[in-house]
Amino acid sequence: MSLADMRVYLRHLDGGDPAEQRDLFARDVERLDAEIERLRVRRDYLRLKAELWDARDRGDAAAEERAVDEIRGLLPRLK
């Protein structure tokens, strides 16, 4: 939750508008969902890069090509 949102929350804690409080927390949930998705994409990218280098280390061209293809598919989701 942002500092500004926390101030709104605390200001309206006693007798504030329940709808405003609900919306405040709903926005934070949306922000966290987006952050979690960004982290998942980054994790997947790093996992694929490890697989790519493992395939190169083993001399497995087919596995290397699969990893490259998956990385290319993931690139548009990296932000």
Side-chain angles (χ1 to χ4, degrees):
M1 182 175 283
S2 73
L3 186 57
D5 284 347
M6 185 56 77
R7 285 183 180 132
V8 170
Y9 170 72
L10 292 172
R11 194 169 49 244
H12 295 103
L13 194 56
D14 295 324
D17 180 8
E20 186 175 6
Q21 298 292 60
R22 177 200 61 222
D23 294 346
L24 192 73
F25 285 99
R27 280 193 309 273
D28 203 42
V29 167
E30 290 173 6
R31 183 191 62 77
L32 285 173
D33 285 344
E35 185 176 335
I36 289 167
E37 179 56 24
R38 282 191 301 274
L39 289 171
R40 284 183 177 145
V41 170
R42 287 179 60 200
R43 178 206 56 206
D44 291 348
Y45 175 77
L46 293 172
R47 179 186 48 80
L48 288 168
K49 289 295 280 194
E51 289 178 16
L52 169 72
W53 286 103
D54 179 62
R56 285 182 179 169
D57 186 45
R58 292 181 287 112
D60 187 343
E64 181 178 344
E65 187 173 333
R66 281 191 304 274
V68 168
D69 287 343
E70 287 188 53
I71 289 168
R72 284 189 184 127
L74 189 63
L75 288 177
R77 294 175 52 208
L78 285 173
K79 296 175 184 166

